[in-house]
Amino acid sequence: MNTALFTLYLGVFKRIARTAALSPFDTQERHRLGELYALYSPPAPSSDLPEDPYKLPKTDILELAQLDKNLLLEGVNECGFGHVTEFEVKVISQLVNQLQPRRIFEIGTFQGRTTLNMALNSPADAQIVTLDLPPSELSQTQMQIEKTEEMYVKKAESGERFKGHPLASKITQVFGDSATYDYSPYHNQMDLVFIDGSHAYEYVLSDTENALRLVRKGGTILWHDYTNWEGVRRALNDYYQSGNPVFRNLRHIGGTSIAVLTVS
């Protein structure tokens, strides 16, 4: 080994030895020791797969309902941004056809496309109550809705899809802020509750707590947009991971953004 290389190695050895010796007493030397450790330590093993943000176990529509080719459907293909998708309308209609709920509460009417298809596939004597936030109350909500949701509130007409329809008599439309609306006349009466209101985290929590008061034992709660909105995903993940036995059977219906819970 030539003299220059030996001198270099000796200098490095002295520097490392000094850093190791002084690090217990000197903040700067501890920092340098940490840098050396990070530089020469083997890299930590990493997973090739990112963490799955969707914590709910998956189920399938075939596990929940028998497929019925005689579903009654209207306006299924007439969807756009912010709407329940074509397949999701069919899944919801299939569940309604299977469960045959006579009392349904919907939080979030929008144009009423889902409302109408639930009316088409529910029993003849079924009654649906659908709640929507009127544009006049947009600035007065108890909690902050997502900014991008304002366009769904500022619409020309709420529930236009079922207005004038022969089955409109099955539908009662009510208006208000879902966080402050008086649900007490409907408590413990609903066979099915469909939540598709504000997607802000606090609103999803509020709507869920109200849905639990609305639904009877053995009834079903559906949430839309579990995979589409962070607020919905976080709220439902938190419920599922909370250890609360009420939510132990909370499931995500594969191929959709719908979550489902049968309340026992």
Side-chain angles (χ1 to χ4, degrees), residues 232-244:
V232 181
R233 179 171 63 253
R234 184 157 62 95
L236 295 186
N237 285 347
D238 286 352
Y239 274 125
Y240 181 71
Q241 296 179 310
S242 67
N244 186 336

Side-chain angles (χ1 to χ4, degrees), residues 81-84 88 107-110 132-133 143-153 178 194-207 223-236 257:
F81 184 75
H83 289 72
V84 174
E88 288 172 341
I107 299 177
T109 310
F110 194 35
D132 212 19
L133 178 68
M143 297 172 288
Q144 186 67 44
I145 71 170
E146 297 283 357
K147 188 67 177 176
T148 51
E149 295 180 313
E150 294 183 3
M151 72 174 100
Y152 304 126
V153 180
S178 69
F194 179 50
I195 300 175
D196 194 16
S198 172
H199 302 85
Y201 176 78
E202 290 78 10
Y203 261 104
V204 180
L205 296 181
S206 174
D207 291 346
W223 293 260
H224 188 234
D225 285 318
Y226 172 63
T227 58
N228 300 333
W229 289 79
E230 193 273 339
V232 181
R233 179 171 63 253
R234 184 157 62 95
L236 295 186
S257 70

Side-chain angles (χ1 to χ4, degrees), residues 37-146:
Y37 178 80
L39 181 63
Y40 292 106
S41 61
S46 61
S47 172
D48 293 331
L49 297 175
E51 182 182 359
D52 187 354
Y54 308 113
K55 306 303 181 184
L56 303 189
K58 281 190 172 56
T59 186
D60 186 271
I61 185 58
L62 295 176
E63 293 183 272
L64 301 170
Q66 297 177 357
L67 293 183
D68 188 341
K69 296 181 180 179
N70 298 313
L71 288 178
L72 298 174
L73 301 167
E74 288 193 24
V76 172
N77 300 328
E78 299 168 12
C79 63
F81 184 75
H83 289 72
V84 174
T85 68
E86 299 168 20
F87 181 61
E88 288 172 341
V89 172
K90 294 177 182 178
V91 167
I92 294 168
S93 298
Q94 191 72 65
L95 289 171
V96 170
N97 180 271
Q98 177 84 9
L99 298 170
Q100 288 293 284
R102 284 180 163 76
R103 300 277 283 173
I104 301 172
F105 201 105
E106 178 183 46
I107 299 177
T109 310
F110 194 35
Q111 294 181 350
R113 179 165 152 269
T114 305
T115 324
L116 175 58
N117 281 280
M118 289 193 294
L120 286 164
N121 292 282
S122 56
D125 61 348
Q127 288 295 308
I128 302 173
V129 180
T130 182
L131 171 66
D132 212 19
L133 178 68
S136 60
E137 297 185 25
L138 182 59
S139 61
Q140 305 165 29
T141 56
Q142 186 176 70
M143 297 172 288
Q144 186 67 44
I145 71 170
E146 297 283 357

Side-chain angles (χ1 to χ4, degrees), residues 149-223:
E149 295 180 313
E150 294 183 3
M151 72 174 100
Y152 304 126
V153 180
K154 298 175 181 177
K155 51 188 177 292
E157 184 177 17
S158 176
E160 63 184 72
R161 298 293 186 99
F162 56 75
K163 297 289 177 67
H165 192 278
L167 292 184
S169 59
K170 296 172 72 172
I171 302 169
T172 300
Q173 193 168 16
V174 295
F175 295 93
D177 179 356
S178 69
T180 57
Y181 183 78
D182 181 12
Y183 297 93
S184 59
Y186 309 104
H187 281 178
N188 301 311
Q189 297 183 33
M190 296 298 153
D191 302 305
L192 176 67
V193 179
F194 179 50
I195 300 175
D196 194 16
S198 172
H199 302 85
Y201 176 78
E202 290 78 10
Y203 261 104
V204 180
L205 296 181
S206 174
D207 291 346
T208 299
E209 296 304 315
N210 282 313
L212 289 170
R213 298 182 187 100
L214 288 167
V215 72
R216 63 167 179 80
K217 186 176 181 179
T220 301
I221 303 175
L222 300 176
W223 293 260

